């Protein structure tokens, strides 16, 4: 398995105990050492592989939060990468749980470990400033009864409340945080002794709850429960269904959608926050509103992509449409689906990718990160680094802006991997096993050929394909013929007068034809990237969610920077015109 050593159960248990001991002792170098050692191991059981990745992720996470807590912490990246790998193994176990492959005790142990894994993954996202993604990740372990996830959600929502600039939104977030803290504290005996003691000795919890109780008494009546507030008035049933779909998938550019799907959150309300700018008499009114207009453009692009995703997911797989009925279509005999559904999804995918690069251009111009002569070099992958190396730019290296940090870490989810760089040095491989998959899809979509297929039928046909047998036969024939040629050439050297030239020539031509067959097979077999529609739809929705998160992080990042500026001098409010 990928050249890794098979670990024994005994050694696995010993390594698990060892990493726990090192974490308890805060032996950071020892933790890093054993994590690097564990990377070289694997096991035939997905349950053991899950545990290996979980241990590695937990070790790196411990070091990241206590020692390597800089802006672009590599150990945090490695922690999240291994948690994601563990989640991939967990998905495999879910598929196998009813096959009899695992005992009842193993399934119970798996359920408990999966809940801990999901909680740790959410905690790591929160640590990276990615509050919105963390809140989504807390949902499953909370449903499974994990009190640590409840505490993690409380902390995450509190931090989000501290960073938003709408007072009403902040109050609702504080209310949700208080409820989670109250639940966690009411279940204090479910925590391990060390964590229980740490919670009970921390004055923050009671201070916050006492403060919020006073706020609730003073202004709580002004803030009805989100579920009790009136929502949007819809003109049609289709419009209502669309907005409900957006809320359910947490796709509104609205922080409150992270904690509620009530109709009242059905607005993309977050916009470019107030920011200070010098008065320049040379600028036209349109130019003064350039950044506001660009943010509005980003939101419009996102909303259009979101609607395409909804339409694509709503259309049955084999529905035909008149948009491409103007010509006869080639049946490539691989169950390709090239209808309105798949093209809506493709367009959504393209727009999402463009949003990330536009966000990087926004930051580049807004903060004058580089000169306008380098506009063409700006992208979401390189924005953060000094030219020609992987050192962070000064603006980011010592930044306390967690929303910049969230965007930085998020950029590693969607950018290209570099196969010539070792994994432990190449940030582009980090954080999500889907990273390279997403880039390959985008590359094929824009520069090569992308086929979306009915995955069931495509796999069914592939199962009975004799492609590999034919390739193996060609290779075997070439080896056999070369051996015959070698013998004939030896015979010719021994007896130059022998009549072997025609046989030798015929075999040489035969080898050329077989090699041409193999070359053409290789050329055409990877001509198009083939992916099932269901998988592509899932990845597109994931990319859409990341685009929404990025827009919110961008807005909050700008607000954070504005709050650090001196609050003195003459301020002339500028009215932002609305259509």
């Amino acid at each position: 398995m990928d050249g890794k050593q098979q670990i024994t159960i005994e050694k696995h248990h010993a390594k698990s105990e060892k990493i726990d001991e090192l974490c308890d002792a805060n032996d950071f170098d020892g933790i890093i050492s054993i994590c690097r050692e564990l990377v070289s191991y694997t096991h035939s059981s997905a349950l053991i592989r899950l545990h290996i990745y979980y241990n590695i992720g937990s070790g790196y996470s411990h070091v990241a939060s206590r020692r390597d807590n800089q802006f672009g912490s590599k150990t945090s990246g490695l922690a999240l990468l291994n948690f994601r790998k563990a989640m991939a193994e967990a998905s495999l176990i879910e598929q196998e749980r009813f096959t009899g492959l695992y005992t009842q005790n193993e399934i119970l142990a798996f359920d408990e470990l999966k809940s801990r894994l999901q909680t740790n993954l959410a905690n790591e996202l929160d640590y990276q400033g990615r509050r919105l993604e963390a809140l989504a990740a807390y949902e499953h372990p909370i449903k499974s009864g994990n009190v640590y996830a409840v505490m993690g959600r409380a902390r995450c929502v509190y931090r989000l409340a501290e960073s938003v600039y709408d007072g009403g939104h902040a109050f609702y977030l504080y209310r949700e945080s208080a409820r989670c803290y109250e639940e966690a504290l009411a279940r204090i005996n479910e925590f391990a002794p060390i964590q229980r003691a740490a919670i009970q000795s921390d004055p923050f919890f009671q201070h916050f709850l006492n403060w919020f109780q006073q706020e609730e008494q003073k202004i709580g009546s002004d803030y009805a429960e989100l579920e009790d507030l009136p929502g949007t008035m819809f003109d049609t049933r289709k419009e209502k269904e669309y907005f409900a779909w957006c809320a359910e998938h947490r796709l509104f550019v609205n922080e409150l959608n992270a904690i509620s799907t009530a109709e009242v959150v059905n607005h993309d309300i977050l916009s470019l926050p107030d920011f200070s700018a010098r008065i320049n008499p040379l600028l036209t009114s349109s130019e003064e509103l350039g950044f506001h207009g660009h943010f509005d453009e980003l939101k419009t692009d996102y909303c259009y992509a979101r609607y395409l995703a909804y339409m694509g997911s709503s259309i049955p797989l084999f529905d035909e449409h008149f948009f491409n009925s103007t010509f006869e279509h080639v049946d490539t005999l691989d169950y390709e689906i090239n209808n309105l559904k798949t093209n809506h999804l493709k367009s959504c995918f393209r727009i999402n990718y463009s949003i990330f690069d536009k966000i990087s251009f926004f930051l580049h111009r807004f903060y004058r990160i580089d000169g306008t002569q380098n506009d063409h070099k700006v992208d979401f992958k390189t924005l953060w680094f000094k030219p020609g190396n992987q050192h962070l730019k000064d603006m980011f290296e010592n930044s306390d802006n967690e929303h910049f940090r969230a965007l930085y870490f998020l950029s590693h989810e969607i950018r290209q991997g570099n196969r010539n760089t070792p994994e432990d040095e190449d940030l582009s491989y980090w954080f999500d096993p889907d990273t390279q998959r997403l880039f390959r899809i985008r590359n094929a979509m824009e520069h090569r050929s992308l086929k979306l297929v009915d995955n069931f039928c495509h796999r069914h046909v592939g199962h009975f394909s004799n492609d590999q047998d034919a390739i193996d036969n060609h290779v075997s024939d070439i080896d056999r013929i070369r051996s015959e040629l070698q013998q004939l050439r030896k015979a010719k050297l021994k007896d130059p007068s022998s009549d072997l030239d025609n046989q030798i020539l015929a075999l040489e031509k035969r080898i050329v034809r077989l090699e041409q067959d193999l070359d053409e097979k290789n050329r055409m077999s990877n001509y198009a990237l083939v992916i099932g529609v269901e998988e592509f739809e899932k990845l597109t929705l994931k990319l859409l969610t990341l685009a929404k998160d990025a827009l919110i992080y961008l807005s909050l990042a700008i607000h954070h920077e504005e709050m650090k500026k001196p609050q003195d001098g003459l301020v002339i409010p500028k009215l932002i015109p609305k259509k």
Side-chain angles (χ1 to χ4, degrees), residues 524-572:
M524 298 309 297
S525 63
N526 60 16
Y527 187 88
L529 177 64
V530 179
I531 181 171
V533 175
E534 288 185 356
E535 181 187 358
F536 183 73
E537 185 174 341
K538 180 180 177 182
L539 289 172
T540 299
L541 192 60
K542 174 179 181 174
L543 202 59
L544 183 69
T545 303
L546 291 178
K548 176 265 301 179
D549 293 340
L551 288 173
I552 295 178
Y553 297 147
L554 173 62
S555 178
L556 297 181
I558 293 170
H559 173 67
H560 180 92
E561 293 299 302
E562 287 300 308
M563 290 299 99
K564 295 192 312 187
K565 292 181 178 179
Q567 304 298 309
D568 54 10
L570 179 64
V571 177
I572 303 176

Short mmCIF file of all heavy atoms in Angstrom, two decimals, residues 524-572:
data_model
loop_
_atom_site.label_atom_id
_atom_site.label_comp_id
_atom_site.label_asym_id
_atom_site.label_seq_id
_atom_site.Cartn_x
_atom_site.Cartn_y
_atom_site.Cartn_z
N MET A 524 -5.28 8.66 -26.13
CA MET A 524 -6.73 8.83 -26.14
C MET A 524 -7.38 8.45 -24.81
O MET A 524 -8.45 8.97 -24.48
CB MET A 524 -7.35 7.99 -27.26
CG MET A 524 -6.89 8.40 -28.66
SD MET A 524 -7.05 10.18 -28.99
CE MET A 524 -8.83 10.40 -28.85
N SER A 525 -6.74 7.56 -24.05
CA SER A 525 -7.37 7.11 -22.80
C SER A 525 -7.43 8.23 -21.76
O SER A 525 -8.30 8.25 -20.90
CB SER A 525 -6.62 5.91 -22.22
OG SER A 525 -5.29 6.27 -21.88
N ASN A 526 -6.47 9.18 -21.80
CA ASN A 526 -6.50 10.30 -20.86
C ASN A 526 -6.82 11.62 -21.56
O ASN A 526 -6.51 12.69 -21.07
CB ASN A 526 -5.17 10.41 -20.10
CG ASN A 526 -3.98 10.62 -21.02
OD1 ASN A 526 -4.14 10.98 -22.19
ND2 ASN A 526 -2.79 10.39 -20.50
N TYR A 527 -7.43 11.51 -22.74
CA TYR A 527 -7.81 12.71 -23.49
C TYR A 527 -8.84 13.51 -22.72
O TYR A 527 -8.78 14.73 -22.64
CB TYR A 527 -8.38 12.29 -24.85
CG TYR A 527 -8.66 13.44 -25.79
CD1 TYR A 527 -7.67 13.91 -26.64
CD2 TYR A 527 -9.90 14.05 -25.83
CE1 TYR A 527 -7.91 14.97 -27.51
CE2 TYR A 527 -10.17 15.11 -26.68
CZ TYR A 527 -9.16 15.56 -27.53
OH TYR A 527 -9.41 16.61 -28.38
N ALA A 528 -9.81 12.81 -22.14
CA ALA A 528 -10.87 13.47 -21.37
C ALA A 528 -10.81 12.99 -19.93
O ALA A 528 -10.48 11.83 -19.65
CB ALA A 528 -12.23 13.18 -21.96
N LEU A 529 -11.12 13.91 -19.01
CA LEU A 529 -11.29 13.53 -17.61
C LEU A 529 -12.75 13.13 -17.43
O LEU A 529 -13.66 13.90 -17.74
CB LEU A 529 -10.94 14.70 -16.69
CG LEU A 529 -11.15 14.45 -15.20
CD1 LEU A 529 -10.22 13.35 -14.69
CD2 LEU A 529 -10.91 15.74 -14.40
N VAL A 530 -12.96 11.92 -16.95
CA VAL A 530 -14.32 11.38 -16.81
C VAL A 530 -14.68 11.37 -15.33
O VAL A 530 -13.93 10.87 -14.49
CB VAL A 530 -14.41 9.96 -17.40
CG1 VAL A 530 -15.83 9.42 -17.22
CG2 VAL A 530 -14.02 9.97 -18.87
N ILE A 531 -15.85 11.90 -15.00
CA ILE A 531 -16.31 11.95 -13.61
C ILE A 531 -17.82 11.76 -13.58
O ILE A 531 -18.54 12.23 -14.47
CB ILE A 531 -15.90 13.28 -12.94
CG1 ILE A 531 -16.36 13.33 -11.49
CG2 ILE A 531 -16.44 14.47 -13.71
CD1 ILE A 531 -15.81 14.52 -10.73
N GLY A 532 -18.30 11.05 -12.58
CA GLY A 532 -19.73 10.83 -12.43
C GLY A 532 -20.47 12.11 -12.08
O GLY A 532 -19.94 12.97 -11.37
N VAL A 533 -21.68 12.26 -12.57
CA VAL A 533 -22.45 13.48 -12.33
C VAL A 533 -22.67 13.71 -10.84
O VAL A 533 -22.56 14.84 -10.34
CB VAL A 533 -23.81 13.42 -13.07
CG1 VAL A 533 -24.66 14.63 -12.71
CG2 VAL A 533 -23.60 13.36 -14.58
N GLU A 534 -22.98 12.66 -10.10
CA GLU A 534 -23.25 12.82 -8.67
C GLU A 534 -22.03 13.34 -7.92
O GLU A 534 -22.13 14.23 -7.06
CB GLU A 534 -23.71 11.49 -8.07
CG GLU A 534 -25.12 11.09 -8.50
CD GLU A 534 -25.59 9.83 -7.79
OE1 GLU A 534 -24.78 9.25 -7.05
OE2 GLU A 534 -26.75 9.43 -7.99
N GLU A 535 -20.86 12.78 -8.24
CA GLU A 535 -19.63 13.25 -7.59
C GLU A 535 -19.35 14.70 -7.97
O GLU A 535 -18.97 15.52 -7.13
CB GLU A 535 -18.44 12.38 -7.97
CG GLU A 535 -17.15 12.82 -7.30
CD GLU A 535 -15.92 12.08 -7.80
OE1 GLU A 535 -16.06 11.19 -8.65
OE2 GLU A 535 -14.81 12.42 -7.35
N PHE A 536 -19.53 15.03 -9.25
CA PHE A 536 -19.28 16.40 -9.71
C PHE A 536 -20.23 17.38 -9.03
O PHE A 536 -19.83 18.48 -8.64
CB PHE A 536 -19.42 16.49 -11.23
CG PHE A 536 -19.09 17.84 -11.78
CD1 PHE A 536 -17.79 18.29 -11.83
CD2 PHE A 536 -20.10 18.68 -12.24
CE1 PHE A 536 -17.48 19.55 -12.33
CE2 PHE A 536 -19.82 19.94 -12.74
CZ PHE A 536 -18.49 20.38 -12.78
N GLU A 537 -21.48 16.99 -8.88
CA GLU A 537 -22.46 17.85 -8.22
C GLU A 537 -22.06 18.09 -6.76
O GLU A 537 -22.16 19.22 -6.25
CB GLU A 537 -23.85 17.21 -8.28
CG GLU A 537 -24.96 18.07 -7.74
CD GLU A 537 -26.34 17.45 -7.96
OE1 GLU A 537 -26.47 16.57 -8.82
OE2 GLU A 537 -27.28 17.86 -7.25
N LYS A 538 -21.58 17.06 -6.10
CA LYS A 538 -21.15 17.19 -4.71
C LYS A 538 -19.95 18.12 -4.60
O LYS A 538 -19.89 18.99 -3.72
CB LYS A 538 -20.79 15.80 -4.16
CG LYS A 538 -20.33 15.79 -2.72
CD LYS A 538 -19.99 14.38 -2.27
CE LYS A 538 -19.47 14.36 -0.84
NZ LYS A 538 -19.08 12.98 -0.41
N LEU A 539 -18.97 17.98 -5.49
CA LEU A 539 -17.79 18.84 -5.46
C LEU A 539 -18.14 20.28 -5.81
O LEU A 539 -17.56 21.22 -5.26
CB LEU A 539 -16.73 18.30 -6.44
CG LEU A 539 -16.03 17.00 -6.03
CD1 LEU A 539 -15.17 16.47 -7.17
CD2 LEU A 539 -15.19 17.21 -4.78
N THR A 540 -19.09 20.46 -6.73
CA THR A 540 -19.51 21.81 -7.11
C THR A 540 -20.18 22.50 -5.93
O THR A 540 -19.94 23.69 -5.68
CB THR A 540 -20.47 21.75 -8.31
OG1 THR A 540 -19.80 21.16 -9.42
CG2 THR A 540 -20.95 23.13 -8.71
N LEU A 541 -21.03 21.78 -5.21
CA LEU A 541 -21.69 22.36 -4.03
C LEU A 541 -20.66 22.70 -2.95
O LEU A 541 -20.77 23.72 -2.26
CB LEU A 541 -22.73 21.39 -3.48
CG LEU A 541 -23.70 21.97 -2.43
CD1 LEU A 541 -24.50 23.13 -3.02
CD2 LEU A 541 -24.64 20.88 -1.92
N LYS A 542 -19.66 21.87 -2.81
CA LYS A 542 -18.59 22.13 -1.86
C LYS A 542 -17.85 23.41 -2.24
O LYS A 542 -17.58 24.27 -1.38
CB LYS A 542 -17.62 20.95 -1.83
CG LYS A 542 -16.38 21.18 -0.98
CD LYS A 542 -15.50 19.95 -1.00
CE LYS A 542 -14.27 20.16 -0.13
NZ LYS A 542 -13.47 18.94 -0.01
N LEU A 543 -17.52 23.56 -3.52
CA LEU A 543 -16.82 24.75 -4.00
C LEU A 543 -17.69 25.99 -3.82
O LEU A 543 -17.20 27.07 -3.46
CB LEU A 543 -16.45 24.56 -5.47
CG LEU A 543 -15.31 25.39 -6.04
CD1 LEU A 543 -14.01 25.13 -5.29
CD2 LEU A 543 -15.12 25.07 -7.51
N LEU A 544 -18.99 25.84 -4.04
CA LEU A 544 -19.93 26.95 -3.86
C LEU A 544 -19.95 27.40 -2.41
O LEU A 544 -19.96 28.61 -2.11
CB LEU A 544 -21.32 26.51 -4.31
CG LEU A 544 -22.44 27.55 -4.26
CD1 LEU A 544 -22.21 28.63 -5.31
CD2 LEU A 544 -23.80 26.89 -4.48
N THR A 545 -19.95 26.46 -1.49
CA THR A 545 -19.94 26.78 -0.06
C THR A 545 -18.66 27.52 0.32
O THR A 545 -18.69 28.50 1.08
CB THR A 545 -20.09 25.50 0.78
OG1 THR A 545 -21.29 24.82 0.41
CG2 THR A 545 -20.13 25.82 2.27
N LEU A 546 -17.54 27.07 -0.22
CA LEU A 546 -16.27 27.74 0.06
C LEU A 546 -16.26 29.17 -0.49
O LEU A 546 -15.71 30.08 0.14
CB LEU A 546 -15.11 26.94 -0.53
CG LEU A 546 -14.80 25.59 0.12
CD1 LEU A 546 -13.67 24.89 -0.60
CD2 LEU A 546 -14.46 25.76 1.60
N ALA A 547 -16.87 29.37 -1.65
CA ALA A 547 -16.95 30.72 -2.23
C ALA A 547 -17.77 31.63 -1.33
O ALA A 547 -17.40 32.80 -1.10
CB ALA A 547 -17.55 30.65 -3.63
N LYS A 548 -18.89 31.13 -0.81
CA LYS A 548 -19.71 31.92 0.11
C LYS A 548 -18.93 32.26 1.37
O LYS A 548 -18.94 33.41 1.84
CB LYS A 548 -20.99 31.14 0.44
CG LYS A 548 -21.90 31.80 1.46
CD LYS A 548 -21.66 31.30 2.88
CE LYS A 548 -21.87 29.80 2.99
NZ LYS A 548 -21.61 29.30 4.36
N ASP A 549 -18.23 31.25 1.92
CA ASP A 549 -17.43 31.49 3.13
C ASP A 549 -16.37 32.56 2.86
O ASP A 549 -16.14 33.44 3.69
CB ASP A 549 -16.77 30.20 3.58
CG ASP A 549 -17.76 29.16 4.07
OD1 ASP A 549 -18.90 29.54 4.40
OD2 ASP A 549 -17.41 27.96 4.09
N ALA A 550 -15.73 32.48 1.70
CA ALA A 550 -14.67 33.43 1.36
C ALA A 550 -15.20 34.85 1.30
O ALA A 550 -14.53 35.80 1.75
CB ALA A 550 -14.01 33.03 0.04
N LEU A 551 -16.39 35.04 0.75
CA LEU A 551 -16.97 36.38 0.68
C LEU A 551 -17.23 36.94 2.08
O LEU A 551 -16.98 38.12 2.36
CB LEU A 551 -18.28 36.34 -0.11
CG LEU A 551 -18.14 36.13 -1.62
CD1 LEU A 551 -19.52 35.93 -2.25
CD2 LEU A 551 -17.43 37.30 -2.28
N ILE A 552 -17.71 36.09 2.97
CA ILE A 552 -17.96 36.55 4.34
C ILE A 552 -16.64 36.85 5.05
O ILE A 552 -16.50 37.88 5.72
CB ILE A 552 -18.78 35.50 5.12
CG1 ILE A 552 -20.18 35.35 4.50
CG2 ILE A 552 -18.88 35.87 6.60
CD1 ILE A 552 -21.06 34.31 5.16
N TYR A 553 -15.64 35.97 4.89
CA TYR A 553 -14.34 36.22 5.50
C TYR A 553 -13.73 37.53 4.97
O TYR A 553 -13.10 38.28 5.73
CB TYR A 553 -13.37 35.07 5.22
CG TYR A 553 -13.78 33.74 5.80
CD1 TYR A 553 -13.47 32.54 5.15
CD2 TYR A 553 -14.48 33.65 7.01
CE1 TYR A 553 -13.83 31.31 5.67
CE2 TYR A 553 -14.85 32.42 7.54
CZ TYR A 553 -14.53 31.26 6.86
OH TYR A 553 -14.88 30.03 7.38
N LEU A 554 -13.90 37.80 3.68
CA LEU A 554 -13.37 39.03 3.09
C LEU A 554 -13.99 40.25 3.76
O LEU A 554 -13.28 41.19 4.15
CB LEU A 554 -13.64 39.05 1.59
CG LEU A 554 -13.29 40.34 0.85
CD1 LEU A 554 -11.80 40.64 0.94
CD2 LEU A 554 -13.73 40.26 -0.62
N SER A 555 -15.30 40.26 3.89
CA SER A 555 -15.98 41.39 4.51
C SER A 555 -15.54 41.58 5.96
O SER A 555 -15.23 42.70 6.39
CB SER A 555 -17.50 41.17 4.45
OG SER A 555 -18.19 42.22 5.08
N LEU A 556 -15.47 40.50 6.72
CA LEU A 556 -15.08 40.60 8.12
C LEU A 556 -13.61 40.98 8.27
O LEU A 556 -13.23 41.67 9.23
CB LEU A 556 -15.36 39.28 8.84
CG LEU A 556 -16.84 38.85 8.91
CD1 LEU A 556 -16.98 37.53 9.65
CD2 LEU A 556 -17.70 39.93 9.55
N ALA A 557 -12.78 40.54 7.34
CA ALA A 557 -11.36 40.89 7.38
C ALA A 557 -11.16 42.39 7.22
O ALA A 557 -10.36 43.02 7.93
CB ALA A 557 -10.60 40.14 6.29
N ILE A 558 -11.90 42.98 6.29
CA ILE A 558 -11.79 44.43 6.06
C ILE A 558 -12.27 45.19 7.29
O ILE A 558 -11.65 46.17 7.72
CB ILE A 558 -12.58 44.83 4.81
CG1 ILE A 558 -11.91 44.23 3.56
CG2 ILE A 558 -12.68 46.34 4.67
CD1 ILE A 558 -12.72 44.36 2.29
N HIS A 559 -13.39 44.74 7.87
CA HIS A 559 -13.89 45.38 9.10
C HIS A 559 -12.85 45.31 10.21
O HIS A 559 -12.63 46.30 10.93
CB HIS A 559 -15.18 44.70 9.55
CG HIS A 559 -15.69 45.17 10.87
ND1 HIS A 559 -16.16 46.45 11.08
CD2 HIS A 559 -15.78 44.53 12.08
CE1 HIS A 559 -16.54 46.58 12.33
NE2 HIS A 559 -16.31 45.44 12.97
N HIS A 560 -12.20 44.15 10.36
CA HIS A 560 -11.19 43.99 11.40
C HIS A 560 -10.06 45.00 11.21
O HIS A 560 -9.61 45.63 12.18
CB HIS A 560 -10.63 42.56 11.37
CG HIS A 560 -9.58 42.30 12.40
ND1 HIS A 560 -9.86 41.79 13.64
CD2 HIS A 560 -8.22 42.48 12.37
CE1 HIS A 560 -8.74 41.66 14.33
NE2 HIS A 560 -7.73 42.07 13.59
N GLU A 561 -9.60 45.16 9.98
CA GLU A 561 -8.51 46.10 9.71
C GLU A 561 -8.94 47.54 9.97
O GLU A 561 -8.15 48.36 10.47
CB GLU A 561 -8.03 45.94 8.27
CG GLU A 561 -7.35 44.61 7.97
CD GLU A 561 -6.11 44.38 8.81
OE1 GLU A 561 -5.18 45.22 8.75
OE2 GLU A 561 -6.06 43.37 9.54
N GLU A 562 -10.19 47.85 9.63
CA GLU A 562 -10.68 49.22 9.85
C GLU A 562 -10.74 49.55 11.34
O GLU A 562 -10.46 50.67 11.75
CB GLU A 562 -12.06 49.40 9.22
CG GLU A 562 -12.05 49.47 7.71
CD GLU A 562 -11.23 50.63 7.19
OE1 GLU A 562 -11.46 51.78 7.65
OE2 GLU A 562 -10.34 50.41 6.34
N MET A 563 -11.09 48.56 12.16
CA MET A 563 -11.20 48.80 13.59
C MET A 563 -9.84 49.06 14.24
O MET A 563 -9.77 49.61 15.35
CB MET A 563 -11.87 47.59 14.28
CG MET A 563 -13.35 47.44 13.94
SD MET A 563 -14.36 48.88 14.47
CE MET A 563 -14.50 49.79 12.92
N LYS A 564 -8.77 48.67 13.57
CA LYS A 564 -7.43 48.90 14.12
C LYS A 564 -6.92 50.30 13.82
O LYS A 564 -5.92 50.73 14.40
CB LYS A 564 -6.46 47.86 13.55
CG LYS A 564 -6.77 46.43 13.97
CD LYS A 564 -5.68 45.45 13.66
CE LYS A 564 -5.12 45.50 12.30
NZ LYS A 564 -4.18 44.41 11.99
N LYS A 565 -7.57 51.02 12.92
CA LYS A 565 -7.12 52.36 12.56
C LYS A 565 -7.46 53.35 13.68
O LYS A 565 -8.44 53.17 14.40
CB LYS A 565 -7.79 52.81 11.26
CG LYS A 565 -7.33 52.02 10.03
CD LYS A 565 -8.00 52.55 8.77
CE LYS A 565 -7.52 51.79 7.54
NZ LYS A 565 -8.18 52.28 6.30
N PRO A 566 -6.66 54.41 13.82
CA PRO A 566 -6.97 55.42 14.84
C PRO A 566 -8.35 56.04 14.61
O PRO A 566 -8.69 56.40 13.48
CB PRO A 566 -5.87 56.47 14.62
CG PRO A 566 -4.77 55.74 13.92
CD PRO A 566 -5.43 54.70 13.07
N GLN A 567 -9.15 56.10 15.64
CA GLN A 567 -10.51 56.62 15.54
C GLN A 567 -10.54 58.11 15.86
O GLN A 567 -11.22 58.57 16.78
CB GLN A 567 -11.44 55.84 16.48
CG GLN A 567 -11.44 54.34 16.26
CD GLN A 567 -11.93 53.95 14.87
OE1 GLN A 567 -13.00 54.38 14.44
NE2 GLN A 567 -11.16 53.12 14.18
N ASP A 568 -9.72 58.88 15.13
CA ASP A 568 -9.68 60.32 15.36
C ASP A 568 -9.70 61.03 14.01
O ASP A 568 -9.71 60.40 12.96
CB ASP A 568 -8.45 60.72 16.18
CG ASP A 568 -7.16 60.22 15.54
OD1 ASP A 568 -7.20 59.74 14.39
OD2 ASP A 568 -6.10 60.28 16.19
N GLY A 569 -9.69 62.34 14.04
CA GLY A 569 -9.73 63.11 12.81
C GLY A 569 -11.15 63.32 12.33
O GLY A 569 -12.12 62.78 12.87
N LEU A 570 -11.25 64.12 11.29
CA LEU A 570 -12.55 64.45 10.72
C LEU A 570 -13.07 63.28 9.88
O LEU A 570 -12.36 62.75 9.03
CB LEU A 570 -12.44 65.70 9.84
CG LEU A 570 -13.72 66.16 9.14
CD1 LEU A 570 -14.77 66.58 10.18
CD2 LEU A 570 -13.40 67.32 8.20
N VAL A 571 -14.31 62.87 10.12
CA VAL A 571 -14.94 61.79 9.36
C VAL A 571 -16.17 62.34 8.66
O VAL A 571 -17.06 62.90 9.29
CB VAL A 571 -15.34 60.62 10.28
CG1 VAL A 571 -16.07 59.55 9.48
CG2 VAL A 571 -14.12 60.03 10.98
N ILE A 572 -16.17 62.20 7.33
CA ILE A 572 -17.33 62.63 6.54
C ILE A 572 -18.00 61.38 5.97
O ILE A 572 -17.45 60.75 5.08
CB ILE A 572 -16.91 63.57 5.40
CG1 ILE A 572 -16.15 64.78 5.97
CG2 ILE A 572 -18.11 64.02 4.60
CD1 ILE A 572 -15.61 65.71 4.90
#
